Amino acid sequence: MASVVEYKGLRAGYHCGYCDSKEGKASCGMWAHSMTVQDYQDLIDRGWRRCRPLQFQPSKSHKKVLKKMLKFLAKGEVPKGSCEDEPMDSTMDDAVAGDFALINKLDIQCDLKTLSDDVKESLQSEGKNSKKEEPHELLQSQDSVGEKLGSGEPSHSVKVHTVPKPGKGADLSKPPCRKAKEIRKERKRLKLMQQNPAGELEGFQAQGHPPSLFPPKAKSNQPKSLEDLIFESLPENASHKLEVRVVRSSPPSSQFKATLLESYQVYKRYQMVIHKNSPDTPTESQFTRFLCSSPLEAETPPNGPDCGYGSFHQQYWLDGKIIAVGVIDILPNCVSSVYLYYDPDYSFLSLGVYSALREIAFTRQLHEKTSQLSYYYMGFYIHSCPKMKYKGQYRPSDLLCPETYVWVPIEQCLPSLENSKYCRFNQDPEAVDEDRSTEPDRLQVFHKRAIMPYGVYKKQQKDPSEEAAVLQYASLVGQKCSERMLLFRN
């Protein structure tokens, strides 16, 4: 097997579906007639971004999405309000990805001027206790500080004394308002007291108020893993049943063929409702060309995952019908997320976030059989585009330096991206691309049904622009891929 590609060069000034600019999109790429999984792996390692699933811990907003799904499956609970998340988009309960890495202790100390003395003292004390924490564990902004202080979370004890204006303020004859979280914790405490009338409750006192609404956990207690949260057991009389199936899309397996029409109908509804397409588009052939046909060659090596490598659809079946499909590529080192579409009737389940978490868990599952398969790729990260920026919420993750092609933790990249839309992430000024094209004459060309080195091919060419295009291609794909892949020239 060999990859056969056609370099298309630079194309600029056409419509961008993310920012909706009529001329805001530019691309420099190639068309793959066929592609081996190893070549594709090496190519995406010269661009994009990746998450490290083996160290991944779901955030607070991720856990909310998983709990919402469990409640829906167990009891049929539908959350109030509508959810119009874009595919893969995450809720914004946590700070916008990337911003919190820019808020350091100095920023917090500057914001203290606007807070009361008690708040200031408390936060300064917490700042001293959190020196060993990662940057993203710090408070995000003054607004988020206010949310934390008013949420009933006693990460630090705070009393804010304010004097209301005459005629305004709290009615002292009535009990103070309590947060919902406080009420839930109090109910839990009372329930434990009823179960244990002797009052010997771990972390609580039988009389009076508990010393803390969040008693310290025993050292043996570990946070729930992603798998624990996803595969939490459901009651026997659960309202719904969810099943996730992975089917090979190219070449199409029998299971894929049997469900193609149903899958297409979901995609069509998704495009009509979410992206406001006309009822006539997309056609089934457009759908097949966009999300089903793939140049990736299927491979099933003995040391690979049981499903093999190549292109797949991850289908989400609810009560016997497809409600969402994640399009993925399984490669030697990673699972690459390509696209997600879903039934708009189930937007309230935040299926974009849920599917991303399931794909991360799937990557971890594949890693158990194939140890080198240990990354999850979500495509390009565009810091200035909200529809792309959400990808930074899945941590730990890395961005690729566009000049030296080494992976850099995203926390180290964000300050530079705040200052410039383009920047070199590798801070070593002497570092270079180790796989840069140093011998372009060794590049393989496919011309007139013959394979030849570029050094031979260029002697037959008189067009000066031909050499510029080939050298640009070589610089982008690197020396290794340029010698393996066949560059088609006509």
Side-chain angles (χ1 to χ4, degrees):
M1 291 185 294
S3 301
V4 180
V5 299
E6 203 170 338
Y7 184 59
K8 296 294 185 180
L10 179 66
R11 180 187 172 195
Y14 59 108
H15 178 258
C16 175
Y18 287 98
C19 67
D20 207 29
S21 169
K22 291 183 178 179
E23 298 183 347
K25 189 173 182 179
S27 66
C28 188
M30 67 182 76
W31 178 268
H33 295 276
S34 67
M35 178 71 64
T36 68
V37 292
Q38 186 59 59
D39 284 341
Y40 186 41
Q41 177 71 67
D42 290 341
L43 286 173
I44 64 174
D45 281 339
R46 293 182 67 81
W48 302 27
R49 66 168 298 284
R50 70 183 186 186
C51 172
R52 285 175 263 149
L54 305 188
Q55 294 82 35
F56 175 80
Q57 283 294 333
S59 68
K60 184 178 178 181
S61 63
H62 294 154
K63 291 177 182 178
K64 283 185 178 181
V65 170
L66 295 175
K67 288 178 182 177
K68 179 166 56 177
M69 175 63 81
L70 287 172
K71 288 180 180 179
F72 173 72
L73 295 176
K75 303 177 182 178
E77 288 187 15
V78 176
K80 295 179 181 180
S82 61
C83 177
E84 299 296 337
D85 288 348
E86 284 291 317
M88 302 294 292
D89 202 2
S90 179
T91 56
M92 300 310 291
D93 294 330
D94 293 343
V96 174
D99 290 346
F100 47 72
L102 306 178
I103 307 299
N104 56 29
K105 291 187 177 70
L106 292 177
D107 297 324
I108 295 173
Q109 290 169 358
C110 291
D111 287 339
L112 296 182
K113 295 177 182 178
T114 61
L115 302 177
S116 71
D117 290 340
D118 287 333
V119 177
K120 183 190 301 184
E121 181 180 349
S122 176
L123 288 180
Q124 286 175 337
S125 173
E126 180 170 284
K128 293 178 182 178
N129 295 331
S130 62
K131 288 183 179 180
K132 295 182 180 179
E133 295 179 355
E134 294 296 319
H136 61 271
E137 293 175 330
L138 298 173
L139 299 176
Q140 288 103 37
S141 66
Q142 188 174 337
D143 289 340
S144 61
V145 170
E147 289 176 8
K148 281 188 174 287
L149 299 185
S151 67
E153 298 182 16
S155 54
H156 41 265
S157 179
V158 178
K159 294 181 181 179
V160 179
H161 303 286
T162 58
V163 180
K165 295 180 180 179
K168 297 181 179 181
D171 185 348
L172 299 179
S173 65
K174 296 180 180 180
C177 247
R178 300 173 65 197
K179 297 292 181 182
K181 187 174 284 189
E182 274 188 81
I183 295 172
R184 290 198 299 270
K185 290 292 179 181
E186 180 70 12
R187 286 176 181 167
K188 183 178 179 181
R189 185 180 70 84
L190 293 174
K191 184 177 179 181
L192 289 172
M193 288 176 62
Q194 291 172 354
Q195 294 174 352
N196 191 347
E200 297 173 1
L201 303 177
E202 183 179 354
F204 289 99
Q205 294 177 347
Q207 296 179 347
H209 295 287
S212 168
L213 293 176
F214 288 85
K217 294 181 179 179
K219 291 183 179 179
S220 59
N221 287 355
Q222 296 294 327
K224 285 188 176 181
S225 69
L226 177 61
E227 289 76 11
D228 292 335
L229 294 166
I230 290 176
F231 302 111
E232 189 170 315
S233 59
L234 296 172
E236 291 184 3
N237 60 343
S239 299
H240 301 284
K241 179 183 178 182
L242 179 69
E243 183 183 1
V244 178
R245 305 177 190 171
V246 177
V247 297
R248 184 179 287 279
S249 56
S250 182
S253 65
S254 57
Q255 300 97 321
F256 179 82
K257 292 177 181 178
T259 58
L260 178 60
L261 182 58
E262 183 176 356
S263 185
Y264 164 61
Q265 294 299 334
V266 174
Y267 176 69
K268 190 173 182 178
R269 284 206 66 228
Y270 168 77
Q271 289 294 335
M272 288 172 56
V273 177
I274 303 298
H275 294 296
K276 314 302 180 187
N277 282 16
S278 69
D280 298 330
T281 59
T283 64
E284 186 173 348
S285 62
Q286 288 174 327
F287 163 71
T288 303
R289 185 169 64 251
F290 178 41
L291 293 175
C292 306
S293 301
S294 170
L296 273 186
E297 301 286 348
E299 297 182 30
T300 53
N303 60 340
D306 294 336
C307 58
Y309 297 125
S311 297
F312 298 83
H313 280 196
Q314 197 166 39
Q315 300 173 336
Y316 294 78
W317 290 77
L318 181 70
D319 302 333
K321 71 173 185 177
I322 297 176
I323 63 165
V325 177
V327 182
I328 60 174
D329 292 322
I330 301 177
L331 304 176
N333 298 340
C334 73
V335 169
S336 175
S337 181
V338 178
Y339 199 79
L340 173 84
Y341 56 94
Y342 55 87
D343 186 334
D345 290 345
Y346 296 92
S347 293
F348 63 88
L349 290 173
S350 302
L351 290 169
V353 181
Y354 183 78
S355 65
L357 298 173
R358 289 295 298 246
E359 287 171 7
I360 290 173
F362 181 53
T363 306
R364 288 153 65 129
Q365 177 188 340
L366 295 178
H367 171 77
E368 293 179 2
K369 167 76 186 298
T370 309
S371 60
Q372 74 271 18
L373 203 164
S374 53
Y375 295 103
Y376 176 59
Y377 286 49
M378 299 177 73
F380 290 111
Y381 175 83
I382 302 176
H383 188 67
S384 58
C385 177
K387 291 184 180 181
M388 288 288 202
K389 192 175 181 180
Y390 74 89
K391 298 175 184 180
Q393 293 180 358
Y394 298 83
R395 308 237 180 154
S397 60
D398 309 300
L399 297 183
L400 200 73
C401 176
E403 296 180 9
T404 62
Y405 298 104
V406 296
W407 294 102
V408 181
I410 192 171
E411 292 86 355
Q412 297 178 25
C413 305
L414 294 174
S416 300
L417 288 172
E418 285 292 314
N419 297 324
S420 174
K421 290 183 179 179
Y422 175 85
C423 48
R424 172 190 170 111
F425 299 139
N426 192 329
Q427 298 301 310
D428 181 359
E430 298 182 1
V432 296
D433 173 16
E434 296 293 338
D435 190 38
R436 64 192 181 281
S437 176
T438 54
E439 299 180 83
D441 283 357
R442 293 172 60 89
L443 180 150
Q444 296 296 298
V445 175
F446 185 42
H447 179 60
K448 293 183 178 180
R449 299 185 180 182
I451 298 172
M452 64 191 76
Y454 176 64
V456 175
Y457 168 78
K458 70 179 181 181
K459 294 177 181 177
Q460 305 172 14
Q461 304 303 310
K462 297 179 180 179
D463 184 358
S465 64
E466 177 78 4
E467 182 174 15
V470 172
L471 293 179
Q472 187 180 60
Y473 159 82
S475 68
L476 291 171
V477 304
Q479 187 69 36
K480 187 166 49 180
C481 281
S482 72
E483 293 186 30
R484 276 203 316 253
M485 301 193 307
L486 304 180
L487 177 64
F488 176 76
R489 307 304 285 176
N490 56 24

